[in-house]
Amino acid sequence: MEPIPTTSRDVAIPAVALHALKSSLLDEVDASVVTRALHEAGVAAGMEFGQGFEAALEGIDPRALSQGEFWERLSRYLRRCGWGGVEHLERHEGVGGLRSEDWVEAHGSVAHADLGCWFSSGLLSGLLSELAGAEVSVLEVSCRSRGDDACEFAFGSEAAIDELFAHLSQDQPLEQALAELT
């Protein structure tokens, strides 16, 4: 694969393009390939979003903000960029959560068990990693595309998110899976 160009500029496209891209890809290739490709593209975009968020703070170090102020400003930024707002959830000592009832990647009108916000999981991982200066893994744990009331993303270290995924893969409810994290 060719290296990704280093020139960065933002492009606004209608949200339906992301839905059409995902749908077209799913018609052509295995869902695991689509999931991985969209996630990786989301990580690259998220790193740029992290830099954009820092620039929007106009010289304020995001690490200097209180936790409440940080999440409020990030939610406003994401909403202003068209993604939707997020509410921060304290889920577990090593795993945080972000919940959105209006996340743009979700198809609220189409409920299918195999759909998810794969690009967004990557986008949030890249964004949070950029801001934290260390890798932050993100796992979508509920999705409006699957018929849930909201999209919810769990985030934390790769080890914590891998362990959470393992518990959820055994059909454990989220609260039980979080309680069993080491």
Side-chain angles (χ1 to χ4, degrees):
M1 182 165 107
E2 288 184 34
I4 298 173
T6 57
T7 304
S8 175
R9 61 184 199 199
D10 294 338
V11 177
I13 61 170
V16 70
L18 185 56
H19 300 149
L21 175 63
K22 185 187 303 183
S23 180
S24 294
L25 287 170
L26 287 169
D27 287 344
E28 299 297 325
V29 295
D30 183 77
S32 65
V33 174
V34 176
T35 302
R36 188 173 43 259
L38 289 174
H39 182 84
E40 288 176 13
V43 169
M47 294 176 81
E48 293 290 322
F49 264 85
Q51 293 171 13
F53 176 63
E54 285 187 297
L57 291 175
E58 299 176 333
I60 299 171
D61 182 348
R63 291 162 286 281
L65 297 170
S66 70
Q67 183 173 314
E69 183 69 13
F70 172 83
W71 292 114
E72 177 59 34
R73 285 182 182 233
L74 182 60
S75 181
R76 283 195 313 252
Y77 178 75
L78 290 169
R79 183 171 277 120
R80 192 171 52 248
C81 291
W83 287 93
V86 293
E87 171 191 1
H88 177 253
L89 306 170
E90 296 204 24
R91 290 310 220 153
H92 179 274
E93 184 177 307
V95 176
L98 295 174
R99 183 177 195 280
S100 179
E101 294 179 1
D102 63 348
W103 198 252
V104 73
E105 188 176 355
H107 258 301
S109 61
V110 177
H112 191 283
D114 294 332
L115 291 178
C117 296
W118 307 317
F119 183 88
S120 298
S121 293
L123 180 120
L124 292 169
S125 176
L127 186 155
L128 295 173
S129 295
E130 180 71 21
L131 296 174
E135 185 178 343
V136 177
S137 293
V138 175
L139 173 68
E140 187 177 32
V141 295
S142 70
C143 185
R144 289 182 16 253
S145 293
R146 293 191 299 260
D148 297 318
D149 292 337
C151 294
E152 185 177 332
F153 304 90
F155 66 90
S157 69
E158 183 177 5
I161 296 303
D162 285 350
E163 184 180 353
L164 177 62
F165 179 75
H167 287 295
L168 293 173
S169 295
Q170 297 171 5
D171 292 326
Q172 290 181 344
L174 178 60
E175 296 304 325
Q176 180 184 348
L178 287 164
E180 291 186 21
L181 292 178
T182 55

